Amino acid sequence: MVVDTTYYDLLGVSTDATAIEIKKAYRKKSIKEHPDKNPDDPAATERFQAISEAYQVLSKDELRAKYDKFGKEEAMPQDGFEDAGEQFAAIFGGEAFVSYIGELTLLKNIQKTQELSEEDEKEKEKEKENTKQEAESQETRRLASGESEAQGAVESDVNASTKTDSKADASASKKKGKLEEFEEQQKRDKEKSIEELSKILCDRLSILTESEYDDACKQSFDKKFEEEANMLKMESFGLDILHTIGDIYCEKANIFLKSQFLWGIGGFYHSVKAKGGLVMDTVRTVSAALDAQSTMTELEKLKETANSQEPLTDANGNTVEKPTVEELAQLEQLLMGKVLSAAWYGSKFEIMSTLRSVCDNVLEDSSVDIQTRIRRAESLKRLGKVFRKAYRTKSEQEDAQVFEELVAEASKKSHKHHRNSTS
């Protein structure tokens, strides 16, 4: 008997819904009610937050049991509810892939770096203002004490210059210290994460490497991870992440195994090929970010134009119609997809970088003999092939593609929008 159905009603599911049904409902509802999709509806943010809270309770077995028995008041998370925006942002695999790829921090770190830079700029402006006020106070005191104008001017200039230089140096040192400390902490956190992920991967591979290593063991190993892949593929972007993991595992295993033969020529070839792929990944990541930024700038200009009293003219000076509310809404939807696309490429770039470092740790581990490392590489390749082969059925794709559709739709509209704007 469920004493309160409010959370179930918010997600549009029955009180006996499975965990997968609850996750599926949350994805659809959060997209539908996201404030960016409802810019003219002031109540959208409140609905979006309520949906997030409902999911945070119903997605946790312990909290859901308390909610079913006692209601909302007894089902509050111990640390409070997460911000709905942060909950929504964690769409690339959720927590399911943490033991493979760690926590994705690239986008969060970029935001933090920007915040530090803005703080430093404000401090600079504040110190400039303080220096100016001190110079004015000194001038006032000089006039009151009857100093000669020439003597006061020289001393004032020297003192002001000295203080300005001193404060500028102090400000620069402070800024450098903040950013350096943050970057050093990032580096330490990343190294710790890679170390932990390397140990987890070694443990996974040891299921095979420390077995009889015969055909039966290899088939059992494949079957175990096929079942895991079938769970992981249903996460948001889960199939893409699985294929990415599979590609890196196979790439790194091939480089290591080929390097053991033919004087390492095969390994060198695969290594060069991998570096070429890294360049293309970098280009795609930057291009996606620039595309989103360009659309954002265009949207801001169109909004200004729509709200302006001045008539809109083309390059030849002819009056043209201003964008309608519907056209602006379509562009906002396109922008949301492009932002998601840029976030995905950035996250994928981080995932690949992390995986490469983890594989290097596992395959270049000098604490074990070469035969063990060769077995690790062969097992890593098997695991990579299993993940590469993962696929969704048509019905599974319909259940899991909510966020992926936004990115794909943004890509399609991007090309169409570009053609229209250049025609």
Side-chain angles (χ1 to χ4, degrees):
M1 177 72 180
V2 177
V3 300
D4 184 4
T5 64
T6 304
Y7 284 157
Y8 292 101
D9 296 340
L10 278 168
L11 296 182
V13 297
S14 63
T15 55
D16 60 353
T18 64
I20 291 177
E21 288 171 339
I22 287 171
K23 180 175 283 190
K24 174 184 172 183
Y26 165 67
R27 288 171 177 166
K28 288 184 177 180
K29 286 280 187 177
S30 60
I31 281 287
K32 181 181 178 182
E33 302 296 350
H34 195 283
D36 288 349
K37 287 198 67 177
N38 302 275
D40 300 320
D41 184 354
T45 300
E46 186 177 341
R47 292 198 304 273
F48 183 61
Q49 185 69 42
I51 289 166
S52 173
E53 289 183 6
Y55 176 68
Q56 288 179 60
V57 169
L58 298 184
S59 63
K60 301 287 191 303
D61 291 342
E62 185 180 348
L63 290 180
R64 183 178 178 181
K66 287 182 178 179
Y67 173 71
D68 289 349
K69 192 172 182 179
F70 304 109
K72 284 185 182 182
E73 296 303 318
E74 298 297 321
M76 288 276 290
Q78 188 173 358
D79 298 325
F81 288 107
E82 291 181 21
D83 178 76
E86 292 180 6
Q87 184 81 10
F88 179 79
I91 62 175
F92 300 124
E95 296 180 358
F97 283 94
V98 169
S99 65
Y100 283 93
I101 62 178
E103 181 188 359
L104 299 180
T105 60
L106 178 66
L107 301 177
K108 183 173 67 176
N109 288 342
I110 289 174
Q111 183 179 5
K112 181 63 176 178
T113 301
Q114 184 178 356
E115 288 173 3
L116 287 175
S117 297
E118 289 174 356
E119 283 178 21
D120 290 329
E121 286 301 318
K122 287 178 182 177
E123 285 178 6
K124 270 187 178 181
E125 291 299 320
K126 186 177 179 181
E127 285 175 1
K128 279 183 183 178
E129 184 63 28
N130 288 341
T131 302
K132 182 180 177 182
Q133 289 176 359
E134 284 184 21
E136 289 174 351
S137 298
Q138 187 180 35
E139 178 65 12
T140 302
R141 288 195 300 271
R142 182 189 67 77
L143 293 172
S145 63
E147 286 182 6
S148 70
E149 187 173 343
Q151 180 186 0
V154 171
E155 288 181 359
S156 179
D157 288 344
V158 171
N159 290 338
S161 177
T162 302
K163 287 181 179 179
T164 301
D165 291 343
S166 176
K167 292 202 170 195
D169 290 342
S171 176
S173 175
K174 191 174 182 182
K175 177 181 179 182
K176 184 178 178 182
K178 275 185 179 180
L179 292 177
E180 277 188 349
E181 184 179 339
F182 178 62
E183 288 167 0
E184 286 172 4
Q185 185 61 49
Q186 281 181 272
K187 187 178 178 181
R188 286 194 296 270
D189 291 344
K190 195 67 177 177
E191 287 173 350
K192 183 180 178 183
S193 174
I194 288 172
E195 185 179 333
E196 291 172 352
L197 293 173
S198 301
K199 185 179 182 304
I200 292 171
L201 181 55
C202 281
D203 290 342
R204 283 197 176 105
L205 299 179
S206 70
I207 297 171
L208 181 55
T209 60
E210 296 179 13
S211 70
E212 292 296 325
Y213 208 67
D214 54 17
D215 288 344
C217 289
K218 290 175 182 177
Q219 289 170 10
S220 177
F221 179 82
D222 290 353
K223 185 168 181 58
K224 170 182 170 54
F225 286 102
E226 281 170 3
E227 291 173 358
E228 184 158 340
N230 282 333
M231 293 291 293
L232 293 172
K233 71 182 182 183
M234 295 307 293
E235 297 293 331
S236 300
F237 288 88
L239 197 59
D240 284 324
I241 296 175
L242 272 177
H243 290 168
T244 299
I245 295 172
D247 287 343
I248 299 299
Y249 282 2
C250 288
E251 170 196 296
K252 281 297 183 178
N254 280 329
I255 290 173
F256 180 83
L257 292 171
K258 295 289 184 182
S259 68
Q260 306 304 311
F261 309 101
L262 297 174
W263 302 284
I265 294 174
F268 176 75
Y269 166 75
H270 280 84
S271 180
V272 171
K273 186 178 178 183
K275 287 178 181 176
L278 179 61
V279 172
M280 290 308 299
D281 292 329
T282 305
V283 170
R284 291 189 191 99
T285 301
V286 174
S287 297
L290 291 176
D291 192 22
Q293 187 178 39
S294 174
T295 303
M296 191 179 298
T297 302
E298 183 179 355
L299 177 60
E300 288 172 355
K301 287 181 179 178
L302 285 176
K303 281 185 174 180
E304 288 178 7
T305 300
N307 295 328
S308 172
Q309 300 299 320
E310 298 294 324
L312 179 62
T313 57
D314 59 19
N316 298 320
N318 300 316
T319 302
V320 295
E321 291 185 9
K322 292 184 177 181
T324 63
V325 173
E326 290 76 15
E327 288 171 339
L328 289 175
Q330 286 177 0
L331 193 56
E332 284 177 340
Q333 172 72 3
L334 174 61
L335 174 60
M336 185 178 176
K338 287 188 175 182
V339 169
L340 272 176
S341 180
W344 163 238
Y345 278 115
S347 298
K348 184 178 179 181
F349 188 83
E350 182 181 5
I351 290 169
M352 295 172 79
S353 173
T354 298
L355 289 170
R356 288 189 173 105
S357 296
V358 170
C359 289
D360 285 341
N361 278 3
V362 170
L363 299 178
E364 301 298 337
D365 182 4
S366 59
S367 68
V368 297
D369 58 49
I370 187 63
Q371 189 57 43
T372 300
R373 281 182 272 163
I374 289 174
R375 277 195 175 188
R376 282 182 179 178
E378 291 171 347
S379 303
L380 187 67
K381 189 173 180 178
R382 292 190 76 88
L383 180 53
K385 285 182 176 180
V386 168
F387 283 179
R388 269 179 163 180
K389 288 191 297 184
Y391 71 96
R392 291 173 182 160
T393 63
K394 185 177 179 181
S395 60
E396 287 172 340
Q397 181 63 19
E398 289 173 354
D399 288 346
Q401 68 184 7
V402 179
F403 293 109
E404 291 97 321
E405 273 186 348
L406 269 179
V407 174
E409 195 64 26
S411 180
K412 289 178 191 173
K413 289 182 178 178
S414 174
H415 297 305
K416 182 178 178 183
H417 182 74
H418 179 70
R419 287 198 303 270
N420 292 341
S421 61
T422 53
S423 60

